[in-house]
Amino acid sequence: LAGEIVTGSEKKVDVRCKWFGLKAFAFDQVSVLEFMPGEPQADTAKAKTLYRKTAQAIPGTLVWIDKDTVGIDSPLGTAKIPRLGLGRYVIDDKSPASAAEIDEVGLVDGNLFRGKLKVEEGKVNLEHPVVGAMSFPAVAVRSIVRHATTMIELSALPHEIVEKGAAGLAAGEM
């Protein structure tokens, strides 16, 4: 979710978002803190690492986040890093487990929320597992991905290659 990181410590982060106001999140509920949302990031991210836009990444445990700085307990001691120029801090590098019955709502402002979806006249309601009940006006919604128990992921199907040869292609077989 996109929002302003207000403050943080080793255990939690306070985020302000126009969709739910100011809310504290425990680190076990968050995988990555993006300081520059929308900026392209490398896919090779390690847990407990602070990535900067133009400097080397700093491994370590997040100690604090305030308005201007981030504190990292690194192998060289506690470092006070200016927030300006930070890319992201990776809390957990494991991919989230995909649940077959979780719907997804993408908003025009870039936010992406997952939960149990209910569409009503002029609005979309979502029960988010961490934030709770949320409601979005229809004009704020960019995309909706619905998941049903009757759907199967194509990537979960066994792969099979069958060669038909030129005669099969000429006959229209695929």
Side-chain angles (χ1 to χ4, degrees), residues 7 12 45 60 65 67 74-75 96 139-140 151 155 168:
T7 59
K12 70 175 185 76
I65 301 174
K67 187 177 91 169
S74 73
V139 296
M151 295 175 66
S155 61

Side-chain angles (χ1 to χ4, degrees), residues 11-96:
K11 304 279 186 215
K12 70 175 185 76
V13 63
D14 298 322
V15 176
R16 182 179 293 121
C17 176
K18 72 178 183 180
W19 301 110
F20 55 77
L22 182 65
K23 184 162 179 63
F25 294 95
F27 269 11
D28 63 355
Q29 298 173 316
V30 180
S31 60
V32 176
L33 299 174
E34 297 278 357
F35 292 96
M36 293 180 149
E39 290 288 320
Q41 303 288 345
D43 289 336
T44 56
K46 294 180 182 172
K48 295 191 178 209
T49 304
L50 179 66
Y51 290 89
R52 300 184 287 175
K53 197 68 183 153
T54 57
Q56 267 190 314
I58 303 171
T61 303
L62 183 72
V63 180
W64 78 81
I65 301 174
D66 64 25
K67 187 177 91 169
D68 300 314
T69 62
V70 171
I72 296 290
D73 186 12
S74 73
L76 300 175
T78 301
K80 184 176 180 179
I81 313 291
R83 280 180 66 163
L84 186 64
L86 295 182
R88 64 183 173 165
Y89 179 75
V90 178
I91 298 166
D92 186 357
D93 57 1
K94 294 176 182 61
S95 298

Side-chain angles (χ1 to χ4, degrees), residues 103-105 112-118 124-129 132-136:
D103 300 316
E104 184 176 281
V105 177
L112 186 66
F113 295 101
R114 292 182 182 94
K116 196 68 178 159
L117 182 71
K118 184 177 180 189
V124 173
N125 297 316
L126 186 80
E127 186 63 35
H128 190 275
M134 303 177 75
S135 185
F136 311 105

